Amino acid sequence: MSFLSLTNIKKSFGPVQVVHDFDMGIEKGEFVSFLGPSGCGKTTILRMIAGFETPSGGSIIIDGKDQGTLKPNQRNIGMVFQAYALFPNMNVHDNVAFGLKVAGASKTDIDTRVKEMLGLIKLEHLADRFPYQLSGGQQQRVALARALAVKPQVLLLDEPLSALDAKIRISLREEIRQIQQQLGITTVFVTHDQEEALSISDRIVVMNAGRADQIGTPFDIYNTPATRFVASFVGTLNIIEAKVIDPAAGSVAIGGQPVSLKEPIASLKGGDSISLALRPEAGSIADGSRGDTALPGEVVSTSFLGSVIRTRLRVGSDVISFDMFNNPGIVPPVAGDNVTLRFAAKDLLVIQE
Ligand code: ATP
């Protein structure tokens, strides 16, 4: 059995079921992110693990112990919320000490542990400050130290970075990951930001309307999305509508041009429609050697995104985006240019619903 086992979890609010039969085993020391759009049920799952919500069915077991009858304060869980939620009338030291005091630890033990925690988040020098004297990023680091001070079995992070500005968000997520690995603490992280989830997780659960569409490593989720929803939510993806020519040979027509897929499409017949996905970074118009497939198209628009120039190209009735890496010598195409889009047919993913 996994360290944290979620078995057949359901949750309804009144007549509305918001989590459907969720199953997952999370291993000790793993960092798992729940990723999905607003309202997909990710926070509800986190709150059920914490004990703030009661599942309508199923079980939650941590290290062999069923959590079903335990109140939140009886569970050995640390939690960090989106809003900083520090005690405003306590300084940093006392905020971090709070859980230890409640647990009845001695003053010496508390002081030692608080020092250790403030060292971990590199804020020893701010122990006497009050929350209002700290930046948002510092407040979240204190919230993390407070959650970790009591040595929880599981750390739950509910969009802890979403109130911070972009630069701090990136540095703090790296810090969280580094601390999590240093302590080896089993962590569940909720986010709607795909880049955040891809960058720090061991595994990602992509949630769609109360169900897990896919559970996998960041690499798997990005490169082999299981559903159209995962494909479009994780990364920017072109969905190309094609017609099957010969299913046994895996040949299809895109914008009237024949293209060979990497494998046969057993479930379809000639003339059927099929959805294919192509990531923008898989295409090129500059590199003649890039890939085995070439489609003529007309440039619709280009946008400069910094490290890449995203170009939208009309191919038949589809508009396909692809990225050109920026470099000083680059000459981006302009709207109206006729170009050839090249890519490897193996990069076309057949999208199942
Ligand atoms: P967000 O990123 O916006 O927090 P989420 O994926 O975390 O979204 P949840 O907060 O888990 O979504 O909510 C899932 C669904 O359950 C939503 O439709 C929400 O309106 C509903 N819901 C959540 N809490 C309650 C509640 N206490 N009573 C009724 N409905 C609720």
Side-chain angles (χ1 to χ4, degrees):
M1 182 181 267
S2 299
F3 184 70
L4 168 55
S5 292
L6 305 167
T7 309
N8 206 14
I9 303 287
K10 306 178 212 307
K11 179 66 183 175
S12 298
F13 291 107
V16 185
Q17 189 166 357
V18 300
V19 175
H20 301 261
D21 309 314
F22 182 78
D23 274 305
M24 184 179 190
I26 298 177
E27 303 311 321
K28 198 167 169 52
E30 225 186 339
F31 191 117
V32 170
S33 294
F34 281 72
L35 173 68
S38 183
C40 68
K42 51 197 190 299
T43 300
T44 301
I45 293 180
L46 198 80
R47 288 173 59 80
M48 289 192 280
I49 300 172
F52 298 133
E53 299 286 357
T54 310
S56 311
S59 69
I60 297 173
I61 294 173
I62 300 178
D63 201 12
K65 185 163 183 179
D66 193 329
Q67 306 288 300
T69 57
L70 302 180
K71 296 197 174 70
N73 61 358
Q74 295 170 319
R75 301 184 187 201
N76 194 358
I77 277 170
M79 189 148 176
V80 178
F81 301 90
Q82 175 177 349
Y84 312 127
L86 295 177
F87 302 115
N89 55 335
M90 289 184 196
N91 66 18
V92 166
H93 175 283
D94 292 351
N95 262 284
V96 177
F98 182 79
L100 300 162
K101 261 189 194 152
V102 171
S106 71
K107 186 172 177 327
T108 322
D109 286 351
I110 291 176
D111 286 346
T112 309
R113 183 71 179 154
V114 169
K115 217 166 168 220
E116 199 183 326
M117 288 295 100
L118 293 183
L120 196 66
I121 58 162
K122 302 185 186 74
L123 288 184
E124 297 110 313
H125 57 299
L126 300 183
D128 297 328
R129 291 248 185 116
F130 284 84
Y132 75 90
Q133 297 170 311
L134 301 174
S135 69
Q138 289 168 338
Q139 289 187 51
Q140 280 307 61
R141 281 150 73 193
V142 175
L144 181 66
R146 186 179 62 179
L148 292 170
V150 293
K151 300 191 175 163
Q153 287 176 297
V154 175
L155 177 65
L156 304 178
L157 305 170
D158 188 3
E159 306 228 19
L161 305 172
S162 58
L164 305 173
D165 54 26
K167 225 170 164 181
I168 303 290
R169 225 162 48 214
I170 293 172
S171 67
L172 192 51
R173 83 181 181 215
E174 284 165 4
E175 202 174 325
I176 287 175
R177 176 59 159 160
Q178 190 245 315
I179 290 172
Q180 182 268 335
Q181 286 181 320
Q182 191 179 332
L183 300 180
I185 185 161
T186 312
T187 300
V188 180
F189 178 79
V190 161
T191 182
H192 58 263
D193 182 327
Q194 48 99 0
E195 187 193 307
E196 211 164 272
L198 289 171
S199 67
I200 57 173
S201 314
D202 292 311
R203 280 191 297 161
I204 297 174
V205 182
V206 184
M207 296 286 297
N208 177 14
R211 291 192 163 81
D213 258 29
Q214 189 170 3
I215 300 177
T217 63
F219 194 81
D220 289 342
I221 298 272
Y222 191 86
N223 288 324
T224 48
T227 65
R228 179 189 282 252
F229 175 83
V230 175
S232 56
F233 194 76
V234 181
T236 311
L237 202 81
N238 295 293
I239 304 285
I240 302 169
E241 303 305 335
K243 284 268 182 254
V244 177
I245 301 172
D246 178 355
S251 74
V252 299
I254 299 177
Q257 301 288 318
V259 172
S260 296
L261 301 179
K262 62 182 168 187
E263 51 201 27
I265 335 155
S267 57
L268 297 176
K269 55 184 191 311
D272 281 353
S273 297
I274 182 172
S275 299
L276 303 169
L278 183 71
R279 297 207 177 273
E281 62 269 28
S284 167
I285 56 165
D287 184 355
S289 65
R290 182 92 168 262
D292 48 17
T293 306
L295 295 175
E298 184 185 329
V299 175
V300 177
S301 64
T302 56
S303 14
F304 183 63
L305 302 179
S307 58
V308 296
I309 295 158
R310 179 153 300 163
T311 300
R312 299 172 74 238
L313 200 65
R314 182 171 303 287
V315 176
S317 58
D318 287 304
V319 173
I320 301 177
S321 296
F322 71 95
D323 290 341
M324 304 170 73
F325 286 104
N326 186 20
N327 66 54
I330 197 164
V331 183
V334 293
D337 280 359
N338 287 305
V339 295
T340 301
L341 176 67
R342 292 173 202 280
F343 55 89
K346 69 174 176 46
D347 289 334
L348 280 170
L349 302 168
V350 175
I351 296 291
Q352 320 275 350
E353 287 314 310

